[in-house]
Amino acid sequence: QVQLVESGGGLVQAGGSLRLSCAASGRTFRTYAMAWFRQAPGKEREFVTAISWSGTTYYADSVKGRFTISRDNAKNTVYLQMNSLKPEDTAVYYCAARSATVVQVAGAYAAWGQGTQVTVSS
């Protein structure tokens, strides 16, 4: 089972940028679909973005054009570059992995990181 550790969260003003990282253990990282979800207080965990093993990317409409997901298979790491941040982006961001195709449903992912807090002030 792959293990995931996120980093890079923090406090930023609206319009600013942050880059999250998710380091994965295991030799089969390159075969995994990787995703980012987020959960704001009192809300359900929601899909943000994902990248397939082949590099195909998927984005929620709310972040399209502002967020970019990428992966470095040599470093077993997936990144989330977040630009033009808005207060509504405030949430705990979770990295997730599954050994199959990308889906946008949290329940389909077996491996999760511990989460990293992103707070965007207005």
Side-chain angles (χ1 to χ4, degrees):
Q1 177 78 325
V2 64
Q3 293 184 329
L4 307 172
V5 178
E6 301 102 333
S7 61
L11 173 64
V12 64
Q13 288 188 333
S17 299
L18 281 175
R19 189 175 84 153
L20 306 183
S21 299
C22 173
S25 64
R27 294 178 293 175
T28 57
F29 172 79
R30 64 179 65 249
T31 68
Y32 278 76
M34 301 297 297
W36 289 94
F37 289 77
R38 65 187 181 186
Q39 188 166 18
K43 295 188 176 181
E44 293 187 353
R45 193 167 297 190
E46 65 173 359
F47 173 80
V48 177
T49 180
I51 186 167
S52 72
W53 66 270
S54 63
T56 303
T57 56
Y58 306 80
Y59 296 94
D61 288 343
S62 59
V63 306
K64 203 169 292 184
R66 299 189 298 122
F67 290 11
T68 302
I69 189 172
S70 61
R71 66 190 300 160
D72 185 338
N73 289 335
K75 296 183 177 180
N76 277 17
T77 301
V78 63
Y79 303 99
L80 178 59
Q81 178 66 44
M82 303 185 294
N83 299 329
S84 301
L85 282 161
K86 305 175 181 180
E88 51 264 43
D89 294 318
T90 296
V92 177
Y93 283 70
Y94 295 91
C95 177
R98 70 190 302 260
S99 57
T101 57
V102 168
V103 294
Q104 300 184 15
V105 177
Y109 289 79
W112 291 86
Q114 81 287 355
T116 186
Q117 177 70 47
V118 171
T119 302
V120 184
S121 62
S122 57

